[in-house]
Amino acid sequence: MLGTRDPAKTLARSAPDAYGNPPLASWLKSQPALKLGAFADAAGHGELVVNATQGTSSLEALEKAGEAGLNGKVLIDVSNPLDFSRGMPPTLFVKDSDSLAEQIQRAFPKARVVKTLNTLNAALMTDPGRLARAEHSVFLSGNDPQAKKTVADLLRSFGWKDIIDLGDITTARGTEMLLGVWLRLYGALNTPEFNFKVVR
Amino acid sequence: MLGTRDPAKTLARSAPDAYGNPPLASWLKSQPALKLGAFADAAGHGELVVNATQGTSSLEALEKAGEAGLNGKVLIDVSNPLDFSRGMPPTLFVKDSDSLAEQIQRAFPKARVVKTLNTLNAALMTDPGRLARAEHSVFLSGNDPQAKKTVADLLRSFGWKDIIDLGDITTARGTEMLLGVWLRLYGALNTPEFNFKVVR
């Protein structure tokens, strides 16, 4: 189930999105297994919750999702604390001595937050084989070893081969700050279809 | 020529360094082509200058090197703005909306600053073939295209194959912030002998 602020309003949109994709209502027609609900519906529905909201709105969206729907669950956080208000490329509104992942973990201490997949483009997240036979890396940060194992199994089911556990949730400071070079590479390579392989 | 604050004091050291290496004076005996001088001697001697000082001291060291020895020259900046005063892993004392490379370029507007090699361990800088047949990436940031070409030629002479020009000196914000994940990978992999390959 996909969560949104106001499902009726989301479904009423008829214009393409910012990337020229058809409106969500059209796409949902081709996805009979997928439901759209309010944030709280989606969180309550899920055995596992993914925060794929814009970083500036993540805490608000998760508050709307509600503790009841998040407590005890694995919460995969793929968001980035990008601040577009100061021009391009965006800066980070939290960094270095704190991270958005830690803000989320502090706001929902009973959720089992795992930061992952925030260092690459959406299309690659569930289909790493689009690039170099999946010979590239993805990172895990989180305080709960079992939650990280659940997420690593999910990532392997998508085809990920090189999954690097960086440690506790504070290590998300590293992967969120990686956006700095990701954004410049996006500019230099003129495509978001790339990823980092940790060669060792 | 290697520059230091006080050559006589440096040569007088008889204890191993912080990593257990023999004192510099012993090593210099095995390097007859290498001279040791004050910062200004080294800058004046060089056709090309490398800032390989600790980030917190880089501006001071370059001020001692002096404008006369830096103006018009390619200045390779491999430093990182690491702040060890707040515990481990270190944070960055400048980041995101500015960088140490930009601070150096602003302090020495006639030097042709190229940020590079700051995203990997010293042993790999001049010998990338130590790892994965040099199948990994190094970045360039700088305002002077000819200076970047000079540096790229030098890097190729070391064996670098994948040299990515990110753009002007502001793109060093990206590679300096990469230290965040580099430091956590150093912790997780328990070795500094790794590098990033940009897979695309």
Side-chain angles (χ1 to χ4, degrees):
Chain A
M1 180 179 278
L2 189 66
T4 185
R5 204 177 269 109
D6 181 342
K9 199 172 157 189
T10 297
L11 289 172
R13 282 191 197 123
S14 56
D17 75 7
Y19 299 94
N21 298 309
L24 190 70
S26 316
W27 182 68
L28 282 172
K29 280 178 195 149
S30 68
Q31 305 289 330
L34 187 65
K35 294 175 203 168
L36 182 73
F39 285 127
D41 300 325
H45 176 89
E47 181 186 344
L48 182 151
V49 179
V50 179
N51 173 37
T53 62
Q54 196 164 14
T56 44
S57 305
S58 289
L59 284 167
E60 186 198 335
L62 290 167
E63 276 157 29
K64 286 190 201 302
E67 279 206 346
L70 298 175
N71 283 353
K73 288 186 187 168
V74 174
L75 172 54
I76 296 181
D77 175 29
V78 310
S79 69
N80 277 304
L82 298 177
D83 175 1
F84 291 89
S85 72
R86 295 160 57 148
M88 295 295 283
T91 52
L92 303 179
F93 62 78
V94 57
K95 62 213 157 212
D96 204 14
S97 53
D98 196 8
S99 63
L100 183 53
E102 287 165 272
Q103 291 183 341
I104 292 169
Q105 183 66 83
R106 285 198 300 272
F108 301 94
K110 292 181 184 163
R112 302 154 72 202
V113 179
V114 179
K115 186 94 197 189
T116 191
L117 291 171
N118 63 306
T119 55
L120 44 105
N121 199 42
L124 290 169
M125 291 182 184
T126 54
D127 191 6
R130 288 169 67 101
L131 204 60
R133 300 171 313 282
E135 297 292 345
H136 43 96
S137 309
V138 66
F139 306 104
L140 298 177
S141 302
N143 295 338
D144 184 321
Q146 192 57 43
K148 285 193 282 193
K149 191 187 169 303
T150 299
V151 175
D153 288 345
L154 181 66
L155 293 175
R156 269 187 287 272
S157 80
F158 296 153
W160 285 99
K161 297 173 184 175
D162 188 30
I163 303 166
I164 302 177
D165 184 350
L166 292 176
D168 70 21
I169 196 70
T170 69
T171 62
R173 298 173 194 177
T175 56
E176 292 182 7
M177 283 202 290
L178 189 59
L179 267 282
V181 75
W182 191 95
L183 290 159
R184 273 80 184 187
L185 279 165
Y186 182 25
L189 303 175
N190 205 26
T191 172
E193 192 85 353
F194 66 87
N195 191 24
F196 303 94
K197 176 172 175 56
V198 179
V199 175
R200 68 270 198 195
Chain B
M1 181 176 280
L2 190 67
T4 185
R5 205 178 269 109
D6 181 340
K9 198 171 159 189
T10 297
L11 288 171
R13 282 191 197 123
S14 56
D17 75 7
Y19 299 94
N21 298 308
L24 191 69
S26 315
W27 182 68
L28 282 173
K29 280 179 197 149
S30 68
Q31 305 289 330
L34 188 64
K35 295 175 203 167
L36 182 73
F39 285 128
D41 299 325
H45 176 89
E47 181 186 345
L48 183 151
V49 180
V50 179
N51 173 37
T53 61
Q54 197 165 11
T56 43
S57 305
S58 289
L59 283 168
E60 186 197 335
L62 290 167
E63 276 156 31
K64 287 191 201 302
E67 279 206 345
L70 299 174
N71 283 352
K73 287 187 187 166
V74 175
L75 173 54
I76 297 181
D77 175 30
V78 310
S79 68
N80 277 304
L82 298 177
D83 176 2
F84 291 88
S85 71
R86 297 160 57 149
M88 293 295 284
T91 52
L92 303 179
F93 62 77
V94 58
K95 61 213 158 214
D96 204 13
S97 54
D98 196 6
S99 62
L100 182 52
E102 288 166 271
Q103 291 183 341
I104 292 170
Q105 183 65 84
R106 285 197 302 270
F108 301 94
K110 290 180 186 164
R112 301 153 73 201
V113 180
V114 179
K115 186 97 198 185
T116 192
L117 292 170
N118 63 306
T119 55
L120 44 105
N121 199 44
L124 289 169
M125 291 182 184
T126 54
D127 191 6
R130 287 168 69 101
L131 205 59
R133 302 172 310 284
E135 297 290 345
H136 43 96
S137 309
V138 66
F139 307 104
L140 298 177
S141 302
N143 295 339
D144 184 321
Q146 192 57 42
K148 286 193 282 194
K149 192 187 169 299
T150 298
V151 175
D153 288 345
L154 182 66
L155 293 175
R156 269 186 289 270
S157 80
F158 296 152
W160 285 99
K161 297 173 183 175
D162 188 30
I163 302 166
I164 302 178
D165 184 351
L166 292 176
D168 69 22
I169 196 71
T170 69
T171 61
R173 298 173 193 179
T175 55
E176 291 180 10
M177 284 201 290
L178 189 59
L179 267 282
V181 76
W182 190 95
L183 290 159
R184 273 80 186 186
L185 279 165
Y186 182 25
L189 303 175
N190 204 27
T191 171
E193 192 84 354
F194 66 87
N195 191 23
F196 303 94
K197 176 173 173 57
V198 179
V199 175
R200 68 270 200 195

